[in-house]
Amino acid sequence: MKILVTGASGMLGHNLARWASRENEVWGSFHTHPISIPGCTMFPTELTNEKELRAQLNSIAPDVIVHTAALTDVDECEKNAQVTKRINADGTRILAEAAEELRARLVYISTDYVFDGESGHYSENDAPGPVNYYGESKLLGEEFTRRYCSQALVLRTTMFGLKIATQRGLMETLVEALGNGKPLLRFIDQYSTPLYTGQLTQVILQLLRLGALGLFHIGTKEKVSRFEFSRQVAQVFGAERADIRPARFRQIEGIARRPKDTSLTSQLIETQFGVVLPDLGIGLRQLKKDWDLVGTKGIAF
């Protein structure tokens, strides 16, 4: 199978490209962070340049496109709505149309932020209602994916993982904060169902092998608060004495609103395809092993 991974230098993309290349011919696109992945042919691309992107896709002629590339900084999305739409929505439309012409499958990685966070435990049947422009743009990307590509798989999720070398993300920042001895406030009533990118990668590859199409949620078995997530990270990284303090949810400083409870129910994918829902504790321990292999500078190949 010939697989093209967009955003292959991103947190999920590089993990997916690395694992997929073990059994498939894999191509990976990047925008501003070129990396080398064994077994994967990397190339630069610009999602908003339709002519160039279509030419690249036609040249590669993939059987599957896994679209992980996106503008994900929630505040940046709010400040630059037009740029966000061009990348997260219009770029997805181009990919969907090209995939249809190539008779390829398109896997679109969406987000739990398509929901308003008022109730939580969202299933695939619940109506989306994003409260910020990041969520709106990703929801529009979902709509374009399903409208223009007849072989579409849309996966809503939320994830954590390691960045590539020289980059820092949520996990790198959190682990550093847990170790510096300063008080760390975390909400006890803001919830999600977060997956380690290594776990999410394996589920995606399983769904590709099974030929899954449609809309599905992928989350951990249980929802977890920001406070509980930080507490479990502290345990796994040997920082049990870290000063993590509980706080009630409030809108954090910044431009974009954040939803309170975006936990997902993922029973549909379990029922239809026998996917075993990942466990958060297992994911954190797997991340710690990967962290120890590469140090604190992120994944390097």
Side-chain angles (χ1 to χ4, degrees), residues 135-198:
E136 288 184 20
S137 69
K138 292 296 288 183
L139 181 59
L140 189 55
E142 286 188 14
E143 294 171 0
F144 285 161
T145 296
R146 303 182 76 184
R147 182 187 307 172
Y148 294 111
C149 183
S150 58
Q151 298 188 76
L153 174 62
V154 175
L155 302 176
R156 292 177 181 153
T157 189
T158 187
M159 69 190 85
F160 61 91
L162 298 176
K163 293 280 191 174
I164 61 172
T166 74
Q167 293 189 53
R168 290 171 59 78
L170 179 149
M171 288 305 303
E172 291 86 355
T173 303
L174 175 58
V175 171
E176 179 180 341
L178 290 170
N180 67 18
K182 296 180 181 180
L184 188 65
L185 289 178
R186 284 294 182 267
F187 298 139
I188 59 174
D189 53 353
Q190 185 184 26
Y191 300 97
S192 63
T193 43
L195 286 179
Y196 177 43
T197 50

Side-chain angles (χ1 to χ4, degrees), residues 236 279-290:
V236 169
D279 177 86
L280 175 60
I282 293 174
L284 287 173
R285 290 191 291 274
Q286 183 181 339
L287 178 143
K288 179 60 165 59
K289 290 180 181 179
D290 292 340

Side-chain angles (χ1 to χ4, degrees), residues 102-277:
L102 293 167
R103 297 182 180 179
R105 281 185 284 166
L106 175 61
V107 182
Y108 176 69
I109 307 302
S110 190
T111 173
D112 57 349
Y113 266 40
V114 300
F115 294 107
D116 61 16
E118 293 300 315
S119 61
H121 292 289
Y122 293 105
S123 76
E124 292 83 352
N125 293 324
D126 289 314
V131 299
N132 53 50
Y133 197 72
Y134 167 65
E136 288 184 20
S137 69
K138 292 296 288 183
L139 181 59
L140 189 55
E142 286 188 14
E143 294 171 0
F144 285 161
T145 296
R146 303 182 76 184
R147 182 187 307 172
Y148 294 111
C149 183
S150 58
Q151 298 188 76
L153 174 62
V154 175
L155 302 176
R156 292 177 181 153
T157 189
T158 187
M159 69 190 85
F160 61 91
L162 298 176
K163 293 280 191 174
I164 61 172
T166 74
Q167 293 189 53
R168 290 171 59 78
L170 179 149
M171 288 305 303
E172 291 86 355
T173 303
L174 175 58
V175 171
E176 179 180 341
L178 290 170
N180 67 18
K182 296 180 181 180
L184 188 65
L185 289 178
R186 284 294 182 267
F187 298 139
I188 59 174
D189 53 353
Q190 185 184 26
Y191 300 97
S192 63
T193 43
L195 286 179
Y196 177 43
T197 50
Q199 295 172 304
L200 181 55
T201 288
Q202 297 307 318
V203 173
I204 292 171
L205 292 176
Q206 181 181 355
L207 293 174
L208 287 180
R209 291 191 292 268
L210 293 172
L213 300 175
L215 168 66
F216 297 96
H217 291 177
I218 306 179
T220 49
K221 297 176 183 178
E222 70 289 338
K223 72 177 184 179
V224 63
S225 69
R226 299 282 184 177
F227 176 83
E228 177 62 21
F229 180 82
S230 298
R231 193 187 67 81
Q232 290 195 35
V233 172
Q235 289 180 334
V236 169
F237 279 82
E240 293 90 343
R241 300 177 71 177
D243 188 5
I244 309 172
R245 299 183 180 181
R248 290 291 178 183
F249 174 74
R250 65 182 186 277
Q251 291 299 328
I252 63 175
E253 293 182 4
I255 296 172
R257 288 182 60 198
R258 266 66 169 180
K260 183 177 180 181
D261 185 346
T262 55
S263 56
L264 304 174
T265 60
S266 307
Q267 280 71 30
L268 182 61
I269 204 167
E270 185 178 37
T271 302
Q272 288 199 12
F273 298 105
V275 172
V276 177
L277 298 182

